[in-house]
Short mmCIF file of all heavy atoms in Angstrom, two decimals:
data_model
loop_
_atom_site.label_atom_id
_atom_site.label_comp_id
_atom_site.label_asym_id
_atom_site.label_seq_id
_atom_site.Cartn_x
_atom_site.Cartn_y
_atom_site.Cartn_z
N MET P 29 -20.65 0.35 -2.92
CA MET P 29 -19.26 -0.15 -3.05
C MET P 29 -18.35 0.95 -3.57
O MET P 29 -18.76 1.75 -4.40
CB MET P 29 -19.25 -1.35 -4.00
CG MET P 29 -17.93 -2.06 -4.01
SD MET P 29 -18.08 -3.72 -4.71
CE MET P 29 -16.89 -3.61 -6.04
N ILE P 30 -17.10 0.97 -3.07
CA ILE P 30 -16.18 2.02 -3.50
C ILE P 30 -15.67 1.70 -4.91
O ILE P 30 -15.63 0.55 -5.33
CB ILE P 30 -15.01 2.20 -2.51
CG1 ILE P 30 -14.25 0.90 -2.31
CG2 ILE P 30 -15.52 2.71 -1.19
CD1 ILE P 30 -13.05 1.07 -1.38
N SER P 31 -15.24 2.72 -5.62
CA SER P 31 -14.81 2.55 -7.01
C SER P 31 -13.35 2.13 -7.08
O SER P 31 -12.59 2.27 -6.12
CB SER P 31 -14.98 3.88 -7.75
OG SER P 31 -14.02 4.80 -7.28
N CYS P 32 -12.94 1.63 -8.27
CA CYS P 32 -11.56 1.22 -8.48
C CYS P 32 -10.62 2.41 -8.28
O CYS P 32 -9.51 2.27 -7.76
CB CYS P 32 -11.38 0.66 -9.88
SG CYS P 32 -12.23 -0.91 -10.10
N LYS P 33 -11.08 3.59 -8.68
CA LYS P 33 -10.26 4.79 -8.53
C LYS P 33 -10.00 5.07 -7.05
O LYS P 33 -8.88 5.40 -6.64
CB LYS P 33 -10.97 5.97 -9.19
CG LYS P 33 -10.08 7.15 -9.46
CD LYS P 33 -10.86 8.24 -10.16
CE LYS P 33 -10.18 9.58 -9.91
NZ LYS P 33 -11.07 10.71 -10.13
N ASP P 34 -11.04 4.93 -6.24
CA ASP P 34 -10.88 5.12 -4.79
C ASP P 34 -9.90 4.11 -4.23
O ASP P 34 -9.06 4.45 -3.38
CB ASP P 34 -12.23 4.95 -4.08
CG ASP P 34 -13.14 6.13 -4.31
OD1 ASP P 34 -12.63 7.19 -4.72
OD2 ASP P 34 -14.35 5.99 -4.10
N VAL P 35 -10.01 2.87 -4.69
CA VAL P 35 -9.13 1.82 -4.20
C VAL P 35 -7.68 2.16 -4.51
O VAL P 35 -6.80 2.09 -3.65
CB VAL P 35 -9.49 0.45 -4.81
CG1 VAL P 35 -8.44 -0.60 -4.45
CG2 VAL P 35 -10.86 0.01 -4.31
N ALA P 36 -7.42 2.59 -5.75
CA ALA P 36 -6.06 2.94 -6.15
C ALA P 36 -5.52 4.06 -5.26
O ALA P 36 -4.38 4.01 -4.81
CB ALA P 36 -6.04 3.38 -7.62
N GLY P 37 -6.36 5.05 -4.98
CA GLY P 37 -5.95 6.14 -4.11
C GLY P 37 -5.56 5.64 -2.73
O GLY P 37 -4.54 6.04 -2.19
N GLU P 38 -6.37 4.74 -2.18
CA GLU P 38 -6.09 4.21 -0.84
C GLU P 38 -4.81 3.39 -0.83
O GLU P 38 -4.03 3.43 0.11
CB GLU P 38 -7.26 3.35 -0.36
CG GLU P 38 -8.56 4.08 -0.20
CD GLU P 38 -8.58 5.01 1.01
OE1 GLU P 38 -7.52 5.20 1.64
OE2 GLU P 38 -9.66 5.55 1.30
N VAL P 39 -4.61 2.61 -1.91
CA VAL P 39 -3.42 1.75 -1.97
C VAL P 39 -2.16 2.61 -1.99
O VAL P 39 -1.15 2.27 -1.37
CB VAL P 39 -3.48 0.83 -3.21
CG1 VAL P 39 -2.14 0.15 -3.45
CG2 VAL P 39 -4.57 -0.21 -3.05
N LEU P 40 -2.22 3.74 -2.67
CA LEU P 40 -1.03 4.58 -2.83
C LEU P 40 -0.85 5.56 -1.68
O LEU P 40 0.24 6.08 -1.48
CB LEU P 40 -1.12 5.37 -4.14
CG LEU P 40 -1.02 4.51 -5.41
CD1 LEU P 40 -1.27 5.36 -6.63
CD2 LEU P 40 0.34 3.84 -5.49
N ARG P 41 -1.90 5.81 -0.94
CA ARG P 41 -1.80 6.75 0.17
C ARG P 41 -0.84 6.24 1.21
O ARG P 41 -0.78 5.05 1.46
CB ARG P 41 -3.18 6.93 0.83
CG ARG P 41 -3.68 8.36 0.78
CD ARG P 41 -5.17 8.35 0.94
NE ARG P 41 -5.55 7.41 2.00
CZ ARG P 41 -6.19 7.78 3.11
NH1 ARG P 41 -6.49 9.02 3.32
NH2 ARG P 41 -6.55 6.87 4.00
N ALA P 42 -0.11 7.12 1.86
CA ALA P 42 0.84 6.67 2.88
C ALA P 42 0.72 7.53 4.11
O ALA P 42 1.69 7.98 4.68
CB ALA P 42 2.26 6.70 2.33
N ASP P 43 -0.51 7.79 4.55
CA ASP P 43 -0.66 8.65 5.72
C ASP P 43 -1.29 7.91 6.89
O ASP P 43 -2.16 8.40 7.58
CB ASP P 43 -1.46 9.90 5.37
CG ASP P 43 -2.83 9.56 4.82
OD1 ASP P 43 -3.08 8.36 4.58
OD2 ASP P 43 -3.64 10.47 4.66
N GLY P 44 -0.82 6.68 7.09
CA GLY P 44 -1.23 5.97 8.29
C GLY P 44 -2.34 4.97 8.05
O GLY P 44 -2.85 4.86 6.95
N PRO P 45 -2.68 4.21 9.09
CA PRO P 45 -3.67 3.14 8.96
C PRO P 45 -5.06 3.69 8.62
O PRO P 45 -5.39 4.81 9.02
CB PRO P 45 -3.67 2.48 10.34
CG PRO P 45 -2.79 3.26 11.21
CD PRO P 45 -2.18 4.38 10.44
N LEU P 46 -5.82 2.90 7.92
CA LEU P 46 -7.17 3.29 7.55
C LEU P 46 -8.15 2.89 8.66
O LEU P 46 -7.89 1.95 9.39
CB LEU P 46 -7.59 2.58 6.26
CG LEU P 46 -6.77 2.91 5.02
CD1 LEU P 46 -7.14 1.94 3.91
CD2 LEU P 46 -7.03 4.32 4.58
N PRO P 47 -9.26 3.62 8.73
CA PRO P 47 -10.30 3.20 9.67
C PRO P 47 -10.82 1.80 9.31
O PRO P 47 -10.78 1.42 8.14
CB PRO P 47 -11.41 4.24 9.46
CG PRO P 47 -10.82 5.34 8.67
CD PRO P 47 -9.62 4.80 7.96
N PHE P 48 -11.30 1.10 10.31
CA PHE P 48 -11.72 -0.29 10.11
C PHE P 48 -12.75 -0.43 8.99
O PHE P 48 -12.63 -1.30 8.14
CB PHE P 48 -12.29 -0.84 11.43
CG PHE P 48 -12.80 -2.24 11.28
CD1 PHE P 48 -11.90 -3.29 11.15
CD2 PHE P 48 -14.16 -2.51 11.28
CE1 PHE P 48 -12.36 -4.59 11.01
CE2 PHE P 48 -14.62 -3.81 11.15
CZ PHE P 48 -13.73 -4.85 11.00
N ARG P 49 -13.74 0.43 8.96
CA ARG P 49 -14.79 0.30 7.94
C ARG P 49 -14.25 0.51 6.54
O ARG P 49 -14.70 -0.11 5.59
CB ARG P 49 -15.92 1.31 8.21
CG ARG P 49 -16.75 0.94 9.42
CD ARG P 49 -17.95 1.83 9.53
NE ARG P 49 -18.79 1.76 8.35
CZ ARG P 49 -20.01 2.25 8.27
NH1 ARG P 49 -20.53 2.85 9.30
NH2 ARG P 49 -20.71 2.16 7.15
N ARG P 50 -13.26 1.40 6.44
CA ARG P 50 -12.64 1.66 5.14
C ARG P 50 -11.84 0.42 4.69
O ARG P 50 -11.89 0.02 3.53
CB ARG P 50 -11.71 2.88 5.26
CG ARG P 50 -11.25 3.45 3.95
CD ARG P 50 -12.39 4.07 3.20
NE ARG P 50 -11.92 4.70 1.95
CZ ARG P 50 -12.71 5.06 0.97
NH1 ARG P 50 -14.01 4.88 1.07
NH2 ARG P 50 -12.22 5.64 -0.10
N ARG P 51 -11.11 -0.17 5.63
CA ARG P 51 -10.35 -1.38 5.31
C ARG P 51 -11.28 -2.50 4.89
O ARG P 51 -10.96 -3.27 3.99
CB ARG P 51 -9.54 -1.84 6.54
CG ARG P 51 -8.35 -0.97 6.84
CD ARG P 51 -7.22 -1.76 7.49
NE ARG P 51 -7.67 -2.61 8.58
CZ ARG P 51 -7.63 -2.27 9.86
NH1 ARG P 51 -7.18 -1.09 10.21
NH2 ARG P 51 -8.03 -3.10 10.78
N LEU P 52 -12.42 -2.55 5.54
CA LEU P 52 -13.40 -3.59 5.23
C LEU P 52 -13.92 -3.43 3.81
O LEU P 52 -14.00 -4.41 3.05
CB LEU P 52 -14.56 -3.51 6.23
CG LEU P 52 -15.35 -4.77 6.47
CD1 LEU P 52 -14.47 -5.83 7.12
CD2 LEU P 52 -16.54 -4.47 7.38
N SER P 53 -14.23 -2.20 3.42
CA SER P 53 -14.75 -2.01 2.07
C SER P 53 -13.65 -2.25 1.03
O SER P 53 -13.91 -2.76 -0.05
CB SER P 53 -15.38 -0.62 1.88
OG SER P 53 -14.66 0.36 2.55
N LEU P 54 -12.40 -1.92 1.38
CA LEU P 54 -11.27 -2.23 0.50
C LEU P 54 -11.12 -3.75 0.33
O LEU P 54 -10.99 -4.25 -0.80
CB LEU P 54 -9.96 -1.68 1.07
CG LEU P 54 -9.66 -0.21 0.80
CD1 LEU P 54 -8.40 0.19 1.55
CD2 LEU P 54 -9.48 0.04 -0.68
N ALA P 55 -11.15 -4.46 1.46
CA ALA P 55 -10.99 -5.92 1.41
C ALA P 55 -12.09 -6.53 0.55
O ALA P 55 -11.85 -7.44 -0.25
CB ALA P 55 -11.02 -6.50 2.82
N PHE P 56 -13.30 -6.03 0.71
CA PHE P 56 -14.43 -6.53 -0.06
C PHE P 56 -14.22 -6.26 -1.55
O PHE P 56 -14.47 -7.12 -2.39
CB PHE P 56 -15.72 -5.85 0.43
CG PHE P 56 -16.96 -6.43 -0.15
CD1 PHE P 56 -17.30 -7.75 0.09
CD2 PHE P 56 -17.80 -5.65 -0.94
CE1 PHE P 56 -18.45 -8.29 -0.45
CE2 PHE P 56 -18.95 -6.19 -1.48
CZ PHE P 56 -19.27 -7.51 -1.24
N HIS P 57 -13.72 -5.08 -1.86
CA HIS P 57 -13.46 -4.73 -3.26
C HIS P 57 -12.38 -5.65 -3.86
O HIS P 57 -12.54 -6.14 -4.98
CB HIS P 57 -13.04 -3.27 -3.36
CG HIS P 57 -12.94 -2.77 -4.77
ND1 HIS P 57 -13.91 -2.01 -5.37
CD2 HIS P 57 -11.98 -2.96 -5.72
CE1 HIS P 57 -13.56 -1.75 -6.62
NE2 HIS P 57 -12.37 -2.31 -6.86
N PHE P 58 -11.32 -5.89 -3.09
CA PHE P 58 -10.25 -6.78 -3.60
C PHE P 58 -10.78 -8.18 -3.86
O PHE P 58 -10.31 -8.87 -4.77
CB PHE P 58 -9.09 -6.84 -2.60
CG PHE P 58 -8.23 -5.61 -2.61
CD1 PHE P 58 -7.97 -4.92 -1.45
CD2 PHE P 58 -7.68 -5.15 -3.80
CE1 PHE P 58 -7.17 -3.79 -1.46
CE2 PHE P 58 -6.88 -4.02 -3.82
CZ PHE P 58 -6.64 -3.32 -2.64
N LEU P 59 -11.75 -8.58 -3.05
CA LEU P 59 -12.34 -9.90 -3.21
C LEU P 59 -13.03 -10.02 -4.57
O LEU P 59 -12.98 -11.06 -5.23
CB LEU P 59 -13.36 -10.11 -2.08
CG LEU P 59 -13.61 -11.53 -1.60
CD1 LEU P 59 -12.34 -12.09 -1.00
CD2 LEU P 59 -14.72 -11.52 -0.57
N LEU P 60 -13.65 -8.92 -4.98
CA LEU P 60 -14.48 -8.97 -6.19
C LEU P 60 -13.75 -8.49 -7.44
O LEU P 60 -14.18 -8.78 -8.55
CB LEU P 60 -15.72 -8.09 -6.01
CG LEU P 60 -16.65 -8.50 -4.86
CD1 LEU P 60 -17.76 -7.46 -4.72
CD2 LEU P 60 -17.23 -9.87 -5.11
N CYS P 61 -12.66 -7.76 -7.29
CA CYS P 61 -12.08 -7.06 -8.43
C CYS P 61 -10.63 -7.50 -8.64
O CYS P 61 -9.74 -7.16 -7.86
CB CYS P 61 -12.14 -5.55 -8.19
SG CYS P 61 -11.42 -4.59 -9.52
N SER P 62 -10.40 -8.28 -9.69
CA SER P 62 -9.05 -8.80 -9.93
C SER P 62 -8.11 -7.68 -10.39
O SER P 62 -6.91 -7.73 -10.13
CB SER P 62 -9.09 -9.92 -10.97
OG SER P 62 -9.54 -9.40 -12.20
N GLY P 63 -8.64 -6.66 -11.06
CA GLY P 63 -7.81 -5.54 -11.49
C GLY P 63 -7.13 -4.86 -10.32
O GLY P 63 -5.93 -4.57 -10.35
N CYS P 64 -7.89 -4.61 -9.27
CA CYS P 64 -7.33 -3.95 -8.09
C CYS P 64 -6.41 -4.88 -7.31
O CYS P 64 -5.44 -4.42 -6.71
CB CYS P 64 -8.45 -3.41 -7.21
SG CYS P 64 -9.23 -1.95 -7.91
N ARG P 65 -6.71 -6.17 -7.34
CA ARG P 65 -5.78 -7.12 -6.70
C ARG P 65 -4.42 -7.08 -7.39
O ARG P 65 -3.38 -7.04 -6.75
CB ARG P 65 -6.34 -8.55 -6.76
CG ARG P 65 -7.38 -8.85 -5.70
CD ARG P 65 -7.49 -10.35 -5.47
NE ARG P 65 -7.83 -11.10 -6.66
CZ ARG P 65 -9.06 -11.33 -7.07
NH1 ARG P 65 -10.09 -10.87 -6.39
NH2 ARG P 65 -9.29 -12.01 -8.17
N ASP P 66 -4.43 -7.08 -8.72
CA ASP P 66 -3.18 -6.98 -9.48
C ASP P 66 -2.45 -5.69 -9.15
O ASP P 66 -1.24 -5.67 -8.97
CB ASP P 66 -3.46 -7.04 -10.98
CG ASP P 66 -3.85 -8.44 -11.41
OD1 ASP P 66 -3.66 -9.39 -10.61
OD2 ASP P 66 -4.35 -8.58 -12.53
N PHE P 67 -3.23 -4.61 -9.11
CA PHE P 67 -2.63 -3.31 -8.83
C PHE P 67 -1.93 -3.31 -7.47
O PHE P 67 -0.80 -2.85 -7.33
CB PHE P 67 -3.71 -2.23 -8.87
CG PHE P 67 -3.20 -0.86 -8.52
CD1 PHE P 67 -2.37 -0.18 -9.39
CD2 PHE P 67 -3.52 -0.28 -7.31
CE1 PHE P 67 -1.89 1.07 -9.07
CE2 PHE P 67 -3.05 0.98 -6.98
CZ PHE P 67 -2.24 1.65 -7.86
N ARG P 68 -2.61 -3.88 -6.48
CA ARG P 68 -2.02 -3.92 -5.14
C ARG P 68 -0.73 -4.73 -5.14
O ARG P 68 0.24 -4.39 -4.49
CB ARG P 68 -3.03 -4.52 -4.16
CG ARG P 68 -2.53 -4.47 -2.73
CD ARG P 68 -3.55 -4.94 -1.74
NE ARG P 68 -3.95 -6.31 -2.02
CZ ARG P 68 -4.71 -7.03 -1.19
NH1 ARG P 68 -5.16 -6.48 -0.10
NH2 ARG P 68 -5.04 -8.25 -1.49
N ARG P 69 -0.74 -5.83 -5.92
CA ARG P 69 0.46 -6.67 -5.98
C ARG P 69 1.61 -5.88 -6.63
O ARG P 69 2.76 -5.96 -6.20
CB ARG P 69 0.16 -7.95 -6.78
CG ARG P 69 1.13 -9.06 -6.49
CD ARG P 69 0.61 -10.42 -6.95
NE ARG P 69 -0.01 -10.33 -8.26
CZ ARG P 69 -1.20 -10.86 -8.54
NH1 ARG P 69 -1.88 -11.47 -7.62
NH2 ARG P 69 -1.70 -10.75 -9.75
N GLN P 70 1.28 -5.13 -7.68
CA GLN P 70 2.31 -4.33 -8.36
C GLN P 70 2.88 -3.28 -7.43
O GLN P 70 4.08 -3.03 -7.41
CB GLN P 70 1.73 -3.66 -9.61
CG GLN P 70 1.57 -4.62 -10.76
CD GLN P 70 0.62 -4.09 -11.81
OE1 GLN P 70 0.20 -2.94 -11.75
NE2 GLN P 70 0.26 -4.92 -12.76
N VAL P 71 2.02 -2.64 -6.67
CA VAL P 71 2.51 -1.64 -5.72
C VAL P 71 3.40 -2.31 -4.68
O VAL P 71 4.39 -1.74 -4.24
CB VAL P 71 1.32 -0.92 -5.04
CG1 VAL P 71 1.79 -0.06 -3.88
CG2 VAL P 71 0.61 -0.06 -6.06
N GLY P 72 3.08 -3.56 -4.34
CA GLY P 72 3.91 -4.31 -3.41
C GLY P 72 5.32 -4.46 -3.92
O GLY P 72 6.29 -4.22 -3.20
N SER P 73 5.47 -4.83 -5.20
CA SER P 73 6.83 -4.98 -5.74
C SER P 73 7.48 -3.62 -5.93
O SER P 73 8.69 -3.48 -5.78
CB SER P 73 6.82 -5.74 -7.08
OG SER P 73 5.54 -6.00 -7.51
N LEU P 74 6.66 -2.63 -6.23
CA LEU P 74 7.18 -1.26 -6.32
C LEU P 74 7.78 -0.85 -4.98
O LEU P 74 8.82 -0.20 -4.93
CB LEU P 74 6.04 -0.31 -6.69
CG LEU P 74 6.42 1.15 -6.96
CD1 LEU P 74 7.26 1.22 -8.22
CD2 LEU P 74 5.18 2.00 -7.11
N GLY P 75 7.15 -1.27 -3.89
CA GLY P 75 7.65 -0.96 -2.56
C GLY P 75 9.07 -1.45 -2.37
O GLY P 75 9.89 -0.78 -1.74
N THR P 76 9.38 -2.62 -2.92
CA THR P 76 10.73 -3.15 -2.81
C THR P 76 11.73 -2.25 -3.53
O THR P 76 12.82 -1.98 -3.03
CB THR P 76 10.78 -4.57 -3.42
OG1 THR P 76 9.71 -5.33 -2.86
CG2 THR P 76 12.10 -5.25 -3.11
N VAL P 77 11.35 -1.78 -4.69
CA VAL P 77 12.21 -0.88 -5.45
C VAL P 77 12.42 0.41 -4.69
O VAL P 77 13.56 0.89 -4.53
CB VAL P 77 11.59 -0.58 -6.84
CG1 VAL P 77 12.44 0.44 -7.59
CG2 VAL P 77 11.43 -1.85 -7.63
N VAL P 78 11.34 0.98 -4.20
CA VAL P 78 11.40 2.22 -3.44
C VAL P 78 12.32 2.04 -2.23
O VAL P 78 13.13 2.90 -1.90
CB VAL P 78 9.99 2.64 -2.97
CG1 VAL P 78 10.07 3.78 -1.96
CG2 VAL P 78 9.15 3.06 -4.16
N ARG P 79 12.23 0.87 -1.60
CA ARG P 79 13.06 0.55 -0.43
C ARG P 79 14.55 0.67 -0.76
O ARG P 79 15.30 1.30 -0.04
CB ARG P 79 12.73 -0.87 0.02
CG ARG P 79 13.46 -1.31 1.25
CD ARG P 79 13.21 -2.80 1.45
NE ARG P 79 13.99 -3.31 2.55
CZ ARG P 79 13.52 -3.49 3.78
NH1 ARG P 79 12.28 -3.20 4.04
NH2 ARG P 79 14.29 -3.94 4.73
N HIS P 80 14.94 0.09 -1.89
CA HIS P 80 16.35 0.15 -2.28
C HIS P 80 16.78 1.59 -2.54
O HIS P 80 17.86 2.01 -2.14
CB HIS P 80 16.59 -0.69 -3.53
CG HIS P 80 16.58 -2.16 -3.24
ND1 HIS P 80 17.48 -2.75 -2.39
CD2 HIS P 80 15.78 -3.15 -3.67
CE1 HIS P 80 17.22 -4.04 -2.31
NE2 HIS P 80 16.19 -4.32 -3.08
N LEU P 81 15.91 2.34 -3.21
CA LEU P 81 16.25 3.72 -3.54
C LEU P 81 16.41 4.56 -2.28
O LEU P 81 17.39 5.29 -2.12
CB LEU P 81 15.16 4.34 -4.42
CG LEU P 81 15.13 3.80 -5.85
CD1 LEU P 81 13.94 4.38 -6.60
CD2 LEU P 81 16.42 4.16 -6.57
N ILE P 82 15.45 4.44 -1.36
CA ILE P 82 15.49 5.23 -0.14
C ILE P 82 16.72 4.87 0.67
O ILE P 82 17.43 5.73 1.20
CB ILE P 82 14.21 5.01 0.70
CG1 ILE P 82 13.00 5.58 -0.03
CG2 ILE P 82 14.35 5.66 2.06
CD1 ILE P 82 11.68 5.22 0.62
N GLN P 83 17.00 3.58 0.75
CA GLN P 83 18.12 3.12 1.55
C GLN P 83 19.42 3.73 1.03
O GLN P 83 20.27 4.18 1.78
CB GLN P 83 18.20 1.60 1.48
CG GLN P 83 18.97 0.98 2.63
CD GLN P 83 18.64 -0.49 2.78
OE1 GLN P 83 18.31 -1.14 1.79
NE2 GLN P 83 18.74 -1.00 3.97
N ARG P 84 19.54 3.75 -0.28
CA ARG P 84 20.77 4.25 -0.88
C ARG P 84 20.89 5.76 -0.68
O ARG P 84 21.96 6.28 -0.39
CB ARG P 84 20.77 3.91 -2.37
CG ARG P 84 22.16 3.81 -2.94
CD ARG P 84 22.14 3.29 -4.35
NE ARG P 84 21.28 4.10 -5.19
CZ ARG P 84 20.86 3.74 -6.41
NH1 ARG P 84 21.21 2.59 -6.90
NH2 ARG P 84 20.10 4.52 -7.12
N GLU P 85 19.74 6.46 -0.84
CA GLU P 85 19.79 7.93 -0.79
C GLU P 85 19.89 8.45 0.63
O GLU P 85 20.57 9.43 0.89
CB GLU P 85 18.54 8.51 -1.45
CG GLU P 85 18.46 8.26 -2.96
CD GLU P 85 19.64 8.85 -3.69
OE1 GLU P 85 20.07 9.96 -3.33
OE2 GLU P 85 20.15 8.19 -4.62
N GLN P 86 19.19 7.86 1.55
CA GLN P 86 19.05 8.49 2.86
C GLN P 86 19.64 7.68 3.99
O GLN P 86 19.64 8.14 5.12
CB GLN P 86 17.57 8.76 3.14
CG GLN P 86 16.97 9.70 2.10
CD GLN P 86 15.60 10.19 2.53
OE1 GLN P 86 15.17 9.92 3.63
NE2 GLN P 86 14.92 10.90 1.66
N LYS P 87 20.08 6.48 3.71
CA LYS P 87 20.70 5.66 4.74
C LYS P 87 19.82 5.53 5.99
O LYS P 87 20.25 5.77 7.11
CB LYS P 87 22.07 6.22 5.13
CG LYS P 87 23.00 6.47 3.94
CD LYS P 87 24.42 6.08 4.29
CE LYS P 87 25.41 6.39 3.16
NZ LYS P 87 24.93 6.05 1.81
N LEU P 88 18.57 5.18 5.77
CA LEU P 88 17.65 4.95 6.88
C LEU P 88 17.91 3.59 7.49
O LEU P 88 18.47 2.70 6.84
CB LEU P 88 16.20 5.01 6.39
CG LEU P 88 15.73 6.34 5.82
CD1 LEU P 88 14.34 6.19 5.24
CD2 LEU P 88 15.72 7.40 6.89
N SER P 89 17.49 3.42 8.72
CA SER P 89 17.61 2.12 9.35
C SER P 89 16.58 1.17 8.75
O SER P 89 15.59 1.59 8.14
CB SER P 89 17.38 2.24 10.85
OG SER P 89 16.01 2.48 11.10
N ASP P 90 16.80 -0.14 8.92
CA ASP P 90 15.86 -1.13 8.41
C ASP P 90 14.48 -0.94 9.00
O ASP P 90 13.47 -1.13 8.34
CB ASP P 90 16.36 -2.55 8.73
CG ASP P 90 17.33 -3.03 7.66
OD1 ASP P 90 17.42 -2.37 6.62
OD2 ASP P 90 18.00 -4.05 7.89
N GLN P 91 14.45 -0.56 10.28
CA GLN P 91 13.16 -0.38 10.94
C GLN P 91 12.39 0.78 10.32
O GLN P 91 11.20 0.68 10.03
CB GLN P 91 13.38 -0.14 12.43
CG GLN P 91 12.08 -0.24 13.22
CD GLN P 91 12.28 0.16 14.67
OE1 GLN P 91 13.35 0.59 15.07
NE2 GLN P 91 11.25 0.02 15.45
N GLU P 92 13.09 1.89 10.10
CA GLU P 92 12.44 3.05 9.47
C GLU P 92 11.95 2.70 8.08
O GLU P 92 10.85 3.06 7.68
CB GLU P 92 13.42 4.22 9.40
CG GLU P 92 13.70 4.87 10.74
CD GLU P 92 14.85 5.85 10.67
OE1 GLU P 92 15.91 5.47 10.14
OE2 GLU P 92 14.71 6.98 11.14
N LEU P 93 12.78 1.97 7.33
CA LEU P 93 12.39 1.57 5.99
C LEU P 93 11.18 0.66 6.03
O LEU P 93 10.25 0.81 5.24
CB LEU P 93 13.54 0.82 5.32
CG LEU P 93 14.58 1.69 4.66
CD1 LEU P 93 15.74 0.83 4.18
CD2 LEU P 93 13.97 2.46 3.51
N GLY P 94 11.19 -0.28 6.96
CA GLY P 94 10.06 -1.20 7.10
C GLY P 94 8.76 -0.45 7.29
O GLY P 94 7.75 -0.78 6.69
N GLN P 95 8.81 0.59 8.12
CA GLN P 95 7.61 1.38 8.37
C GLN P 95 7.14 2.08 7.11
O GLN P 95 5.95 2.12 6.81
CB GLN P 95 7.89 2.41 9.47
CG GLN P 95 7.95 1.77 10.86
CD GLN P 95 8.55 2.72 11.90
OE1 GLN P 95 8.97 3.84 11.56
NE2 GLN P 95 8.61 2.26 13.13
N ILE P 96 8.09 2.62 6.35
CA ILE P 96 7.74 3.30 5.11
C ILE P 96 7.10 2.31 4.13
O ILE P 96 6.06 2.58 3.53
CB ILE P 96 8.99 3.96 4.47
CG1 ILE P 96 9.45 5.12 5.35
CG2 ILE P 96 8.68 4.42 3.06
CD1 ILE P 96 10.81 5.67 4.97
N ILE P 97 7.74 1.14 3.99
CA ILE P 97 7.23 0.14 3.05
C ILE P 97 5.84 -0.32 3.45
O ILE P 97 4.95 -0.46 2.61
CB ILE P 97 8.19 -1.07 2.97
CG1 ILE P 97 9.56 -0.65 2.46
CG2 ILE P 97 7.61 -2.17 2.10
CD1 ILE P 97 9.55 0.11 1.16
N GLU P 98 5.62 -0.54 4.75
CA GLU P 98 4.30 -0.97 5.19
C GLU P 98 3.26 0.08 4.85
O GLU P 98 2.14 -0.25 4.49
CB GLU P 98 4.30 -1.24 6.70
CG GLU P 98 4.99 -2.53 7.08
CD GLU P 98 4.57 -3.70 6.20
OE1 GLU P 98 3.36 -3.99 6.12
OE2 GLU P 98 5.45 -4.31 5.57
N ARG P 99 3.64 1.35 4.96
CA ARG P 99 2.70 2.41 4.63
C ARG P 99 2.44 2.46 3.15
O ARG P 99 1.32 2.74 2.70
CB ARG P 99 3.22 3.75 5.14
CG ARG P 99 2.90 3.94 6.61
CD ARG P 99 3.73 4.99 7.24
NE ARG P 99 3.63 6.29 6.56
CZ ARG P 99 4.28 7.36 6.96
NH1 ARG P 99 5.05 7.31 8.02
NH2 ARG P 99 4.17 8.48 6.31
N VAL P 100 3.46 2.19 2.34
CA VAL P 100 3.27 2.17 0.89
C VAL P 100 2.35 1.03 0.50
O VAL P 100 1.47 1.17 -0.33
CB VAL P 100 4.63 2.05 0.17
CG1 VAL P 100 4.44 1.77 -1.32
CG2 VAL P 100 5.46 3.30 0.38
N LYS P 101 2.58 -0.12 1.13
CA LYS P 101 1.84 -1.31 0.76
C LYS P 101 0.43 -1.34 1.32
O LYS P 101 -0.43 -2.00 0.77
CB LYS P 101 2.59 -2.56 1.23
CG LYS P 101 3.72 -2.92 0.28
CD LYS P 101 4.77 -3.78 0.93
CE LYS P 101 4.32 -5.18 1.23
NZ LYS P 101 5.45 -6.02 1.66
N GLY P 102 0.21 -0.67 2.45
CA GLY P 102 -1.10 -0.74 3.09
C GLY P 102 -1.27 -2.09 3.74
O GLY P 102 -0.33 -2.64 4.27
N GLU P 103 -2.48 -2.61 3.65
CA GLU P 103 -2.76 -3.89 4.32
C GLU P 103 -2.12 -5.02 3.59
O GLU P 103 -2.34 -5.24 2.44
CB GLU P 103 -4.28 -4.11 4.36
CG GLU P 103 -4.95 -3.22 5.36
CD GLU P 103 -4.51 -3.54 6.79
OE1 GLU P 103 -4.78 -4.65 7.26
OE2 GLU P 103 -3.87 -2.67 7.40
ZN1 ZN X 210 -11.38 -2.48 -8.62
#
């Protein structure tokens, strides 16, 4: 099983979709580990904050922002 540290790294990474097996081990970890579930939720709300900041600074389109947020949030 992957470690909590690995999970945190994957949650924060924003370089595209993960391979299926990696997503599977992440999903399994979230099932068993409430700490990482909380962390993922926090990153989710962080994504909203980041969205507002980026929008204000760079005037990206909603679609571009959506893509960025999805990458921040992961699955
Ligand atoms: Zn964990």
